[in-house]
Amino acid sequence: MSATEIQLLADGEEAMVSLGNLLARALQPGSVLYLEGDLGMGKTTLSRGIVQGFGHSGAVKSPTYTLVEPYELAELNLYHFDLYRLGDPEELEFMGIRDYFTGDSICLVEWPGRGLGILPPADLVINIERKGMGRQLAFNANTARGQAVLQDLQTDA
């Protein structure tokens, strides 16, 4: 039986980016990740590490005002969503949200609770909380794809 939950500690921004790099190596096309946690917990920092882990060398910014930031990478498309300012989940339908969640893309979703009923289910939910000066990350797998990511993380972490 595969693990369905693991917890890791990231002490500082550099550790969070490094963890995102590790996570990128474990992700497969079609993966959907929900990133949960209060403001300032490091969801965008972790996302930056993931995007950079796929080889992106430019800026990785929070899509707070645009809702989605696309990254066309060598082998796949990665979409980083920030739904913090979303007024109503139905707005996602108007932006064509279903077009982003394909078998050859990876989707990172910050504040997924604001898209309930519209967003597809997550393979992996990552909850980030403050722990001392660092961050405690709880990874919960909801699918076989998510469990495979956790197995890779446990091997590499």
Side-chain angles (χ1 to χ4, degrees), residues 96-118:
I97 191 76
R98 296 178 200 285
D99 295 338
Y100 294 96
F101 292 84
T102 66
D104 59 353
S105 67
I106 291 178
C107 293
L108 312 176
V109 184
E110 296 186 35
W111 301 97
R114 298 181 190 251
L116 282 178
I118 304 294

Side-chain angles (χ1 to χ4, degrees), residues 1-150:
M1 175 83 177
S2 299
T4 57
E5 179 180 349
I6 63 170
Q7 294 195 11
L8 299 171
L9 185 63
D11 282 324
E13 183 175 346
E14 187 176 312
M16 188 71 89
V17 171
S18 292
L19 186 53
N21 284 195
L22 275 178
L23 194 51
R25 288 197 291 265
L27 293 174
Q28 298 297 317
S31 295
V32 176
L33 281 71
Y34 286 179
L35 307 174
E36 299 181 338
D38 292 337
L39 285 171
M41 287 298 106
K43 297 179 294 294
T44 299
T45 302
L46 182 64
S47 296
R48 182 176 62 215
I50 294 169
V51 173
Q52 290 173 345
F54 278 103
H56 180 75
S57 58
V60 177
K61 57 187 177 182
S62 175
T64 301
Y65 293 99
T66 59
L67 294 183
V68 63
E69 190 67 38
Y71 297 93
E72 293 180 13
L73 305 166
E75 299 175 17
L76 55 80
N77 290 322
L78 188 147
Y79 300 104
H80 178 200
F81 296 88
D82 184 335
L83 306 183
Y84 183 73
R85 298 198 182 279
L86 188 69
D88 184 315
E90 289 294 319
E91 292 175 38
L92 295 173
E93 291 289 3
F94 297 122
M95 70 179 275
I97 191 76
R98 296 178 200 285
D99 295 338
Y100 294 96
F101 292 84
T102 66
D104 59 353
S105 67
I106 291 178
C107 293
L108 312 176
V109 184
E110 296 186 35
W111 301 97
R114 298 181 190 251
L116 282 178
I118 304 294
L119 291 174
D123 295 298
L124 193 62
V125 177
I126 304 169
N127 188 22
I128 307 171
E129 296 180 345
R130 186 177 314 279
K131 174 117 181 191
M133 295 301 290
R135 301 293 186 261
Q136 180 78 41
L137 292 87
F139 296 78
N140 291 285
N142 294 327
T143 65
R145 181 183 289 144
Q147 288 178 340
V149 171
L150 291 187

